[in-house]
Amino acid sequence: MWKIHHPISLFLLFFHFSFSFAQVKTTPVPEWVKPHPGIEKASPKPTEGGFTYLLFERQYHIPQKTSFSHYKIQVLTVDGIQENSDISINYDPTYQTLFIHEITIWREGKAINKLNLDEVKTIQRESGANQYIYDGSLSALIHLSDVQKQDIIEYSYSIKGFNPVNKDFFSTDLYHQLYFPVQKFHYRIITAADTDLHFKNIEHQYSPTIEQAPGQKIYSWENEALSPKLFDINVPNWLANYPMTSVSNFSGWEEVVSWALPLYQYDAREISPISKSVNKKALTEEKIPELIRMVQDDIRYLGLESGMSAYRPNSPKKVYDQKFGDCKDKSLLLVALLREEGVKAYPLLVNTEWKSETKALQPSQSAFDHCVVTYEWEGKNYFVDPTISDQGGSFEDSFFPDYGVGLVIKEGVKDLIEIPQGKVPYTKINELITVNDFSGNAEFIVRSEMYGRKADETRAYFANKPKEEITQEYLNYYANLYPGISSTAVVKLMDYNRNGENLLTVEEYYQIPDFWQNADDSSYVYGQIYPIVLESLLELPKSANRTMPYFVGDPEEFYQTTQVVLPENWNITPYQNSIDAGAFTYDNKIFGSGNTVVVEHSLKRLKNTIPAIEVAELLKKKEEVMKELSFYVTHTGQKKGSSNLGQLSILLALIVIGFGIYFGIKLYKNYDPVPWEFAENKAIGGWLVFPTIGLLATPVYLLITIFEIEYFSEQTWVNVNTHGMGLRLLFVTEMVYNFCFLAFTLILIALFLRRRTSVPKLMVVFYSISISVVILDNFAAYFLNPDYEVETREIIRATAAAAIWIPYFIKSERVKSTFCKTFRPRD
């Protein structure tokens, strides 16, 4: 309930509403208006939604500074009635007067007059209050009663008065398609005969008709748009445009600058005392960041933008004294303070929605919705947004949003400038999980380093919440991964060099009581490692069925390294994979040594927008990345029902070796080719020395490989089991081959040293097997994982050996003269 304690307050409140109501009047349609008759009823074509605009009409008389609006809406459903039974007309009472001409409901061809000034309510909504912007505009509300389906609601009004700050300049946007069906758009703009309108078409080809009248020039547009303009989800703002005509009587950006320059003038004599009171640094390069931080952090953002204040900033002294201001106010204050230090600084107008697409708009003062600052230092241009608080960074490292283009308010500027993109922000997370035993307890420390925009966001987050609350929020976040997790210390923020590189570090400390989880069949336990923060960067649409560009997100980089220190040495198969999705790249690397396992993830978002045709491939790549995120450390421990795969591998190896010995003995005794008739019984020498060395080294190499892979380790087989049937089959095949080939090589060495006649052909088999297995093994690995890096050097080495020594052992007389011994003596 309102309570007013002073008579003057009651008077001011009464005066405000009386004045506001006096600004609403009823009059006939102005004589200069030529209302379009519109359509009598909705088109028989099926339309979407609960209503159809039969007429959407706006007319402007620039010399009289008056706008006229006229609408005819047929409501078709209950929802259509609900949406259109309240008429709301916005105006600024400081310089505008509202004239309502007609409010009529047409039912079965009969008019029902609904215009009653006593029922018009004037309220101040302040729709921008959630963004701390108060423009002082009012809304005239008319609640229509007795609206029925198929009724046509027709109303028209005029608003007299353009913002005085615009002088004789005019600009507007004429839409030719909206989110609801419109059977007829009609626009008409009257200007003086000696004044031209300039316009740009955006996503349409409608051209105006131009008429001449005594002392006037009249531009008219007309079109229909029965199909609403619908947008796919997550279309970037600067591309989510309705077809429209951007209109103004500015001749170009240079004239916009000339219009704006007087608005950004100030009394320089007022600045020196302010500068001295806030600036204690000796060097200018130290003063600049201090001044920027003061304006960003100590002058709160608040916009009182009624009337001329929508474009004209307040004086820097006033802004500093009252400690608040909007973007224009804060920018001009910073410009003034920088200039006081001898730095060339200027206001810069930008459009936060259209960004680089601002170039598509017709030059005008309304092409911008935000003001920032550009300044020069040591031959380079820098940019700063005074409305962003809690920023950090030196000249080079301070983050500036991607506004695309801007207009510098500086004498002589004739065009928009391209705003260069700054350094890409990044986040680096280092996790350390120390697992003390297999009972489940683990210590969990997270150290996160943020740079650029990510550091600014984190700094602002910590500045506005107590650390205890942040600690709890972080804990709740990780509880999604480890449900029993608890915090062991309050989160720490380290921000020692705010005006330097803008690096900020956060440390978190946790205890995980249940790191080890039982597998479904209780045959082993596992601990999960998962980049939960990275997952949030991969939020993409579920469907590729779209026709419009997709906004992926601003460029940024993410790195995560997780180290798991285990209670015993661990066997880990090194793994690496890279995925290029076009809009982003992803890398995964897994390796380990001793009792430490390391999992690395990195994601680099390269561009913010992709065309619709690329979304399907992006989603495909995303699914590939999602499969890479989960990693499990597994251990069989002493669980009942353990698979004992390590013991089975020992048994398999013994069987393979047994068969190898059996067949080796048979080969040794029974394969006894006839010696060459011209054999000279020569000793092993000459070129034969080289294959001899290679043959003798082969079993050593095979034994090293067998022990490095740890075929007999239970943990090795558990790890293999988590990678799918294809890898398991390949792993078993490689194991059998290594033991078989080891047995074959040992028999071949025995035959080789005894210079048996069977050696030449067996050496051909030896080299043939070597090259075949190398090629097949690489092919199988690539087939299972297309990102597998083929061992090209190994293939070349095996191919070269086979190409040299197979012909040599087939044709060489030295070979035939050396390998001439048989198992049984021959006559």
Side-chain angles (χ1 to χ4, degrees), residues 44 64 113 122 131 159 163 169 175 180 209 342 420 488 514 534 552 559 598 606 677 742 748 778 820:
Q64 293 186 16
N113 182 24
T122 303
Q131 297 176 334
I159 298 177
N163 196 322
F169 289 110
Y175 290 96
F180 46 78
T209 59
T488 58
D514 51 1
L534 174 57
V552 181
Y559 306 90
V598 181
L606 306 176
E677 59 182 316
L742 175 62
L748 181 56
N778 275 271
C820 57

Side-chain angles (χ1 to χ4, degrees), residues 401-416:
D402 179 20
Y403 292 138
V405 298
L407 186 66
V408 181
I409 307 305
K410 175 185 175 183
E411 196 75 48
V413 170
K414 298 181 179 181
D415 206 348
L416 301 172

Side-chain angles (χ1 to χ4, degrees), residues 37-51:
I39 310 297
E40 294 303 320
K41 62 180 179 177
S43 168
K45 291 183 180 180
T47 59
E48 300 180 24
F51 62 93

Side-chain angles (χ1 to χ4, degrees), residues 485-559:
I485 192 172
S486 61
S487 177
T488 58
V490 175
V491 63
K492 290 183 180 179
L493 173 70
M494 286 157 281
D495 189 14
Y496 304 124
N497 192 18
R498 177 176 175 181
N499 288 333
E501 290 183 278
N502 198 19
L503 286 175
L504 179 148
T505 304
V506 176
E507 285 188 357
E508 308 159 56
Y509 307 89
Y510 304 102
Q511 184 76 28
I512 305 173
D514 51 1
F515 178 77
W516 298 109
Q517 299 290 315
N518 286 312
D520 292 338
D521 59 0
S522 298
S523 61
Y524 62 91
V525 294
Y526 66 89
Q528 185 179 15
I529 301 169
Y530 190 81
I532 191 170
V533 179
L534 174 57
E535 182 186 36
S536 65
L537 299 177
L538 292 169
E539 294 180 354
L540 298 173
K542 295 181 179 180
S543 172
N545 184 22
R546 62 187 296 124
T547 59
M548 298 178 180
Y550 179 80
F551 179 70
V552 181
D554 291 322
E556 68 175 274
E557 297 178 1
F558 176 88
Y559 306 90

Side-chain angles (χ1 to χ4, degrees), residues 49-64:
F51 62 93
T52 296
Y53 269 69
L54 306 181
L55 178 65
F56 189 101
E57 179 178 29
R58 288 179 182 169
Q59 300 187 33
Y60 302 88
H61 196 300
I62 298 175
Q64 293 186 16

Side-chain angles (χ1 to χ4, degrees), residues 320-381:
Y320 178 75
D321 289 343
Q322 67 190 16
K323 293 296 186 291
F324 69 79
D326 63 11
C327 61
K328 305 181 300 297
D329 298 331
K330 295 181 64 150
S331 292
L332 186 57
L333 173 59
L334 180 57
V335 165
L337 290 171
L338 291 174
R339 287 176 179 173
E340 184 67 20
E341 299 299 330
V343 179
K344 295 180 179 178
Y346 307 94
L348 176 69
L349 303 181
V350 297
N351 191 311
T352 59
E353 297 285 334
W354 285 72
K355 297 192 175 185
S356 292
E357 294 300 313
T358 305
K359 294 180 288 188
L361 300 174
Q362 177 61 35
S364 74
Q365 86 290 1
S366 61
F368 309 101
D369 63 1
H370 192 43
C371 183
V372 293
V373 172
T374 178
Y375 64 94
E376 300 175 20
W377 178 251
E378 295 184 346
K380 292 187 67 175
N381 291 324

